[in-house]
Amino acid sequence: MRSINLSRRSFLSGAAAASALGVMALSGCAPQAEPAKEVAETGTAPKEVVETIDTDLLIVGLGGSGLACAVQAALDDTNCLVIEKNAESGGNALGVEGMFAINSSMQKAAGIEEITPAEVIAAQMEMLQYRPNGAEWVEFCESSAANIDWCLEQGVEYNGTVDNYYTGLLHTFHWFKEGSCSKGYVPQMTKRAEELGVEVRYNTTANELILDDSGAVCGLYAIGQDGEILINAKAVILATGGFCGNPDIIKRQGWNTDDMVCLGLNGTGDGFNMATAVGAIDDLANASQSICPTIPAFPVTDYKADPYSPINGLGGIATGGPIMWVNETGDRFVREDTTSVMAPSSASIATKRNAATYCVFDQNIYDTFFGTTPEAQAMFEESITSDNGYSLYSSNDLADLAQHFDMDPENFKNAVARYNESCKAGADKDFLKDPSLLIPVEQPPFYIGRMSYVFYFATGGLKVDKFQRVWDIDKQPIPGLYAIGNEGNNHYASVYTINIPGTAFGHQVNSGRVAAQQAAKYINS
């Protein structure tokens, strides 16, 4: 898995996994050195604690959701501590461009007509096959306008534009100053947290949650600059950014991570690993992702600088459309224009169960749709030459294409022939692909590309309720444990939808605020 830290479009180290047996063996949460010493003898917890800290609320991570959570906790006078494994705040939120809301003061000022929660929820639920919890969407939508006002009160700066983020169904996207969270949200919220006296420990990585005798979370072990730290807390909120930078978890989710490019290096699965180690549901099967197919031969695209490259951009060769897709056996398995009828990530979802996926096209398709500029042609020629057949190959013989990637040549040729029949008939006999994109693969030279993926971010992995409480395997909240942001986002299921733009970061703010308020109630109960 290749890891490249590039800015991403918003729509689109870490802690070692704790031993479940070791964590469950912990008995108590006292700050004294004696219990810590006993735990050390199990071989799973820190062997030498150099510092013990007591707090009411511990927030793990200071990205988009962690900042909202810390500020809300401080406004509510909750005694809290934040630990952040990086040297500064922001995390994966730095590349985000804006956030969701309906009927906000900014929308009203722009003359945007009222948007009902039902419009948003119906569109999302239909696309997601009614798998998410609709009650969580209701709360989220009804709180969204207040979240914008709250952000403005904390000093967050927007550029005044509210639109549909290029292709969304509704005008719900509130752009940050200079179109970046790094300019309009992170500095302002970091400053606000400092003004409110929030204590932050940077360069401190959460390592292992601690349970008391009743099974409630009562703190964790962390690794700081000087060694192991024991933090006793009455509640812990995980805001660790998800698992988009952890190939092992991504692979467990079902993806082939060979040659995968990860753009979210801060999401290393720390929260997921720690929570599942103490009994949280492993909900990876329902986790969604913002992901885009690519061919390893092509350069990694910076989607801010050049999103529409005909070779490797959002409508590039690997993303479907006029090309043909086949799996490891040479069979066609889906309509290749799914991005036109579903979220862009849906095209990749269709490939998830394949051992390998290939895009197939001929010279006519290349000339008509992809090699349309001198720059595109130069990129393609350089890619196919330097790749040396690793992931991109050309031949005048279809059987040779198949054999190059160990597919049965007769089965592959039959699949191409069947596809060509559909193209010439103007009707896809198998998957009802748009007739305008049915272009036969018949003019040599022929091309085949082995697909991989650019992975932007993931949402979910842990199951939470609308109060952001983490559930155990019996679907009961683990006392004292909350997850927010990408880690605690069950608004989607498999597909990360962008038909209603800005919802992912809108959830970052909303979940942070909700968890801070709910944790305060729990602490005071």
Side-chain angles (χ1 to χ4, degrees):
M1 177 174 181
R2 294 181 287 166
S3 293
I4 299 176
N5 191 13
L6 299 178
S7 298
R8 62 164 177 79
R9 297 178 69 84
S10 62
F11 69 91
L12 301 176
S13 91
S19 163
L21 292 176
V23 176
M24 295 302 289
L26 298 179
S27 57
C29 189
Q32 297 94 333
E34 190 67 32
K37 183 177 180 181
E38 291 180 8
V39 171
E41 293 173 357
T42 70
T44 61
K47 298 183 183 303
E48 183 177 353
V49 172
V50 299
E51 183 181 10
T52 298
I53 304 172
D54 296 320
T55 186
D56 287 340
L57 174 63
L58 174 63
I59 302 168
V60 185
L62 199 59
S65 62
L67 282 165
C69 189
V71 170
Q72 184 65 61
L75 291 170
D76 295 338
D77 295 322
T78 301
N79 174 34
C80 73
L81 169 69
V82 182
I83 60 173
E84 165 56 52
K85 68 180 180 181
N86 294 312
E88 59 185 7
S89 61
N92 289 327
L94 292 169
V96 172
E97 292 151 306
M99 64 183 281
F100 163 89
I102 57 173
N103 308 322
S104 69
S105 55
M106 291 174 61
Q107 285 167 310
K108 292 175 182 177
I112 297 172
E113 294 184 4
E114 181 178 351
I115 301 170
T116 67
E119 290 178 80
V120 174
I121 297 167
Q124 295 288 60
M125 296 295 280
E126 180 178 7
M127 181 173 285
L128 295 166
Q129 300 177 316
Y130 300 92
R131 291 167 61 192
N133 185 330
E136 296 175 14
W137 271 102
V138 171
E139 185 278 330
F140 171 56
C141 289
E142 292 183 343
S143 301
S144 61
N147 286 332
I148 293 289
D149 288 339
W150 182 83
C151 283
L152 289 168
E153 290 170 5
Q154 310 317 315
V156 172
E157 295 180 76
Y158 301 87
N159 70 10
T161 300
V162 181
D163 62 18
N164 68 339
Y165 195 77
Y166 306 109
T167 60
L169 297 178
L170 300 169
H171 285 64
T172 60
F173 197 79
H174 296 63
W175 289 81
F176 289 122
K177 175 185 176 182
E178 297 185 32
S180 174
C181 194
S182 66
K183 301 295 184 181
Y185 179 90
V186 172
Q188 293 83 352
M189 289 292 283
T190 303
K191 178 182 178 182
R192 184 63 172 141
E194 293 171 352
E195 292 172 347
L196 292 169
V198 175
E199 181 183 355
V200 180
R201 292 284 189 102
Y202 290 101
N203 300 303
T204 303
T205 302
N207 189 51
E208 186 174 347
L209 288 165
I210 305 172
L211 303 182
D212 64 17
D213 292 332
S214 71
V217 169
C218 61
L220 58 71
Y221 288 95
I223 303 172
Q225 292 177 299
D226 299 321
E228 310 284 0
I229 303 170
L230 168 62
I231 305 175
N232 296 309
K234 297 176 182 177
V236 175
I237 298 176
L238 302 174
T240 49
F243 58 84
C244 58
N246 188 319
D248 292 333
I249 297 178
I250 293 171
K251 191 168 186 176
R252 284 172 54 191
Q253 198 194 6
W255 292 102
N256 182 347
T257 58
D258 294 344
D259 298 304
M260 181 178 280
V261 175
C262 176
L263 300 186
L265 298 181
N266 290 300
T268 52
D270 302 358
F272 173 84
N273 284 331
M274 290 189 295
T276 53
V278 297
I281 295 175
D282 177 338
D283 199 41
L284 287 176
N286 292 312
S288 70
Q289 54 283 303
S290 178
I291 190 169
C292 189
T294 187
I295 296 173
F298 298 151
V300 177
T301 301
D302 184 338
Y303 287 104
K304 281 185 178 290
D306 188 18
Y308 301 115
S309 164
I311 301 299
N312 63 338
L314 294 172
I317 292 173
T319 62
I323 53 87
M324 176 187 178
W325 278 353
V326 297
N327 61 17
E328 69 279 359
T329 61
D331 292 313
R332 186 168 174 247
F333 58 94
V334 72
R335 58 183 289 182
E336 296 85 355
D337 62 337
T338 53
T339 55
S340 65
V341 294
M342 284 285 284
S345 292
S346 65
S348 298
I349 297 296
T351 71
K352 190 174 179 181
R353 293 193 175 187
N354 296 342
T357 304
Y358 303 92
C359 53
V360 181
F361 54 102
D362 68 0
Q363 190 65 40
N364 174 55
I365 295 173
Y366 169 78
D367 291 339
T368 304
F369 294 93
F370 305 120
T372 54
T373 67
E375 294 78 13
Q377 294 167 10
M379 179 187 289
F380 187 82
E381 291 302 322
E382 169 62 24
S383 297
I384 198 168
T385 299
S386 61
D387 184 70
N388 198 32
Y390 174 69
S391 63
L392 185 62
Y393 183 69
S394 175
S395 175
N396 289 328
D397 181 17
L398 287 173
D400 184 40
L401 287 190
Q403 290 170 335
H404 183 79
F405 286 110
D406 298 322
M407 284 185 283
D408 180 271
E410 289 304 314
N411 192 62
F412 175 71
K413 287 195 298 182
N414 289 338
V416 173
R418 183 179 178 90
Y419 179 72
N420 287 346
E421 289 174 7
S422 291
C423 293
K424 292 174 181 178
D428 185 354
K429 66 171 65 178
D430 295 317
F431 303 112
L432 294 181
K433 180 176 177 177
D434 182 348
S436 69
L437 295 174
L438 287 171
I439 315 295
V441 180
E442 59 184 3
Q443 179 182 321
F446 305 110
Y447 301 93
I448 186 168
R450 177 178 56 81
M451 289 166 50
S452 186
Y453 309 93
V454 178
F455 202 105
Y456 297 105
F457 66 91
T459 68
L462 298 174
K463 181 69 182 78
V464 299
D465 60 19
K466 70 177 184 179
F467 305 116
Q468 301 302 138
R469 299 179 299 185
V470 176
W471 282 12
D472 65 18
I473 58 175
D474 296 319
K475 297 185 178 180
Q476 297 297 315
I478 298 175
L481 185 61
Y482 303 79
I484 61 177
N486 288 343
E487 219 120 39
N489 187 345
N490 298 157
H491 283 182
Y492 318 102
S494 295
V495 176
Y496 169 58
T497 57
I498 63 165
N499 57 341
I500 309 295
T503 55
F505 196 80
H507 173 79
Q508 298 263 350
V509 173
N510 189 67
S511 63
R513 297 188 66 199
V514 168
Q517 294 165 339
Q518 293 298 321
K521 292 179 181 179
Y522 171 80
I523 290 167
N524 295 323
S525 64

